[in-house]
Amino acid sequence: MNGGIVTFVAANLVIASLFVIQPWFSRKNVLFGVVFGDDSIWRDEKAKRIRKRYLWEAISGALLVCLGFFIYFIQVLPARGAGALTSNLSVFALILVETLVFIAANRRTRRFKNKIDRDARLVSNKVIIETDINEKETVVPGWWLLLLLPVFLASLAVALLGYSMMPDKIPTHYSFTAVNGWSHKSLLTIMTPVIIEAVLSAIIFVSCFFTRRAPASVRGNPDAAPDSYRFRKVMVVMMLSVGVLLELNFLITEIGFITPVAPLWFTVMSIAELVMFGFIVLFYFRFVRLKKPSGPILDDDRKWLLGIVYFNPSDPSIFVEKRVGIGYTVNCARPAAWILIAGTIVLIVFITVFSAHVK
Amino acid sequence: MLLTIDFDSEEPIYMQIRNGVVAGIAMGSLRDGDPLPSVRTLGSEIGVNLHTVNKAYKLLQSEGFIEIRRNRGTFIHAGNAAKNTAQFLETTGESLRNMVSEAVTREVDRAVIHKMIDNLYNELGGNT
């Protein structure tokens, strides 16, 4: 079995598992993006059946997509380029199928909600706000985002000042144990990592900037989403830390142009990033999943199209906490959100095309 | 203090914010120096346009209930006169509203009411 198929199977398995466990990554009074009065909904028999059906559909959908593409790989044995393209296509197919399965579960949950007696704790027209919000404690200060700067500047300095010290042949690709790709030295080759680093750092900077003020996915009163401020703060700090770790990868690559570095460094970085993601999941359970909502809850399902897309023209927030899944999403009713999405896509396409061109 | 916003109310949201703060001052749950959330935070917490919050804050500022310090934030800065006014609005606002409402229904001219209030104010010894 070649490496292409292994990567393909691994990538699809990870994506499929993330989708399958999705419903468990929401606040306790949210089911498939639909909000309820309290967490007792999670124990309701009908809700359990909706979850079971979702699991069944999500797992069989993922298996079908993977099986289809796997058979294609075995039968056709595509060349490298076609293989990579098919792998990407399989990921898109998987995301599409799993999203459709989620939307179906969202519709079932909405129907179920309409059938049961209306919960008096769900209000459609009222929010209660605590006016003593201490912004110093709830919003990460803007200057913290500058933490992304030093490593970037260090990479830039190594690239520019170290250029004359770099040999003609420079390592551009590392495996777990050794260098497995070399290129000839040119200003463009040595600047490529710095340019990609700049793009990634810019995306992380903008995400952190807006996440600092993102409201919780469930509102209504100060106890509707307990500890959402702490979670938000922790998430911004984690995003910044992951950003700095990613930047260190590029710094080490640049240093590797001057003097050989042990590939172990990159492995250490990858492990550190995985540990960070583990912590993010832990924090999610600690500050979101295990929290019990209380008081009147705003019934704003209409603002969450298909349970996934947030669309609220009157909300000035550009980023909001995701209703399902860990992290934050954009308010699609804000033009700035579309500019950010388009900008991110353009930048990612740019670095993909750019790095392919340089190689 | 807890501020309640009712989206179905006939009262505009900026007036609800303003009245909520005035009631807080009148009842003593908001005291001088207490901070208010920034326009951006309050807007995203309620889920309303920033202009709406801004309008409420500007109104509160012009009425002397709050102080907006640049780069520092917004604070309650009512002073005694403003506190008394807040209490007066809180206790008498509704009956005053009913009276004006009746005047509007009976098509009493705005200037006549203004004049009536001025005369009463002078008669009862008010000198400002």
Side-chain angles (χ1 to χ4, degrees):
Chain A
M1 192 178 276
N2 67 31
I5 298 187
V6 176
T7 320
F8 158 77
V9 172
N12 281 277
L13 269 181
V14 170
I15 294 167
S17 325
L18 289 177
F19 270 107
V20 169
I21 57 173
Q22 213 180 190
W24 282 264
F25 289 93
S26 70
R27 291 190 177 271
K28 270 254 169 93
N29 57 333
V30 172
L31 189 66
F32 294 106
V34 180
V35 71
F36 290 85
D38 73 357
D39 57 346
S40 64
I41 188 61
W42 210 253
R43 297 182 291 276
D44 184 277
E45 282 308 315
K46 176 75 179 146
K48 276 184 192 165
R49 280 204 293 280
I50 297 177
R51 283 205 300 277
K52 256 187 203 160
R53 185 161 169 191
Y54 169 81
L55 272 184
W56 165 244
E57 289 177 355
I59 292 172
S60 41
L63 287 179
L64 275 177
V65 171
C66 289
L67 197 69
F69 279 95
F70 191 69
I71 291 172
Y72 165 81
F73 267 102
I74 304 249
Q75 293 290 314
V76 181
L77 291 173
R80 208 190 173 95
L85 183 69
T86 323
S87 288
N88 290 340
L89 270 181
S90 76
V91 171
F92 280 118
L94 197 59
I95 293 173
L96 182 70
V97 167
E98 298 295 320
T99 306
L100 289 176
V101 170
F102 181 90
I103 292 170
N106 169 267
R107 291 179 69 120
R108 272 176 225 126
T109 314
R110 277 175 200 252
R111 277 203 296 274
F112 159 62
K113 183 177 171 178
N114 286 337
K115 268 187 208 154
I116 55 175
D117 290 336
R118 191 161 174 83
D119 192 328
R121 279 162 298 193
L122 271 186
V123 292
S124 57
N125 51 5
K126 211 179 267 183
V127 282
I128 302 170
I129 311 292
E130 178 62 75
T131 57
D132 326 341
I133 306 169
N134 185 340
E135 305 218 359
K136 284 206 177 92
E137 281 171 18
T138 55
V139 179
V140 170
W143 66 265
W144 284 27
L145 307 192
L146 296 179
L147 286 172
L148 290 167
L149 217 52
V151 183
F152 170 71
L153 290 178
S155 312
L156 189 67
V158 172
L160 293 177
L161 304 175
Y163 186 74
S164 55
M165 286 180 263
M166 291 174 194
D168 283 341
K169 205 175 147 201
I170 52 170
T172 47
H173 202 270
Y174 290 83
S175 74
F176 282 113
T177 48
V179 178
N180 62 357
W182 297 87
S183 291
H184 283 291
K185 173 182 161 185
S186 75
L187 195 58
L188 193 60
T189 343
I190 67 121
M191 283 308 284
T192 304
V194 183
I195 293 168
I196 299 174
E197 184 182 354
V199 169
L200 285 179
S201 305
I203 293 173
I204 292 172
F205 183 93
V206 172
S207 308
C208 287
F209 183 82
F210 289 112
T211 303
R212 291 187 313 135
R213 289 179 182 277
S217 64
V218 172
R219 309 184 203 191
N221 81 89
D223 296 318
D227 265 349
S228 65
Y229 293 134
R230 285 172 82 183
F231 177 66
R232 183 173 73 186
K233 219 171 166 180
V234 163
M235 281 296 276
V236 174
V237 171
M238 291 309 271
M239 272 202 279
L240 282 174
S241 316
V242 171
V244 171
L245 270 180
L246 286 173
E247 289 183 329
L248 281 172
N249 274 303
F250 293 99
L251 177 61
I252 294 173
T253 307
E254 286 293 342
I255 294 172
F257 291 164
I258 302 176
T259 172
V261 290
L264 182 71
W265 280 108
F266 293 101
T267 316
V268 170
M269 292 294 171
S270 307
I271 293 172
E273 278 152 27
L274 275 179
V275 171
M276 292 282 215
F277 285 116
F279 270 110
I280 289 176
V281 175
L282 269 181
F283 287 132
Y284 184 81
F285 272 82
R286 166 83 175 76
F287 293 125
V288 179
R289 179 69 184 168
L290 296 176
K291 291 289 165 183
K292 205 173 152 59
S294 58
I297 306 285
L298 186 67
D299 188 354
D300 58 352
D301 291 341
R302 276 178 306 146
K303 307 275 163 57
W304 285 90
L305 312 177
L306 309 170
I308 307 169
V309 180
Y310 184 64
F311 190 94
N312 186 357
S314 63
D315 189 343
S317 313
I318 296 174
F319 274 39
V320 292
E321 185 188 281
K322 282 174 83 169
R323 192 93 130 177
V324 179
I326 303 178
Y328 294 83
T329 184
V330 291
N331 177 6
C332 289
R334 308 231 45 99
W338 287 102
I339 295 170
L340 285 179
I341 294 172
T344 308
I345 293 172
V346 167
L347 285 176
I348 288 172
V349 169
F350 165 74
I351 56 174
T352 314
V353 173
F354 179 70
S355 46
H357 178 74
V358 170
K359 268 177 197 159
Chain B
M1 187 199 73
L2 294 175
L3 178 68
T4 304
I5 302 295
D6 184 349
F7 296 116
D8 287 349
S9 165
E10 279 180 17
E11 197 168 35
I13 290 173
Y14 83 93
M15 275 309 276
Q16 293 186 43
I17 299 174
R18 180 260 184 194
N19 290 347
V21 172
V22 169
I25 295 169
M27 290 183 294
S29 47
L30 286 177
R31 293 168 197 282
D32 273 10
D34 283 357
L36 284 181
S38 69
V39 171
R40 188 163 283 280
T41 298
L42 196 56
S44 62
E45 287 298 321
I46 306 173
V48 291
N49 202 300
L50 298 182
H51 296 304
T52 308
V53 184
N54 226 340
K55 205 167 163 183
Y57 276 18
K58 284 276 181 290
L59 184 59
L60 283 164
Q61 187 188 26
S62 68
E63 290 171 334
F65 293 119
I66 63 170
E67 185 187 22
I68 301 174
R69 289 187 218 154
R70 240 164 176 244
N71 300 328
R72 297 283 301 279
T74 306
F75 301 88
I76 301 293
H77 182 76
N80 282 336
K83 257 177 233 154
N84 292 339
T85 311
Q87 269 154 11
F88 172 76
L89 286 174
E90 183 65 6
T91 50
T92 330
E94 197 56 33
S95 49
L96 196 61
R97 188 186 165 84
N98 291 340
M99 261 189 270
V100 176
S101 157
E102 193 173 337
V104 171
T105 321
R106 291 172 185 243
E107 294 179 355
V108 177
D109 195 85
R110 185 194 297 263
V112 174
I113 301 175
H114 284 176
K115 193 74 195 155
M116 274 172 70
I117 293 174
D118 283 345
N119 287 342
L120 279 171
Y121 205 97
N122 292 337
E123 198 183 307
L124 296 170
N127 48 15
T128 47

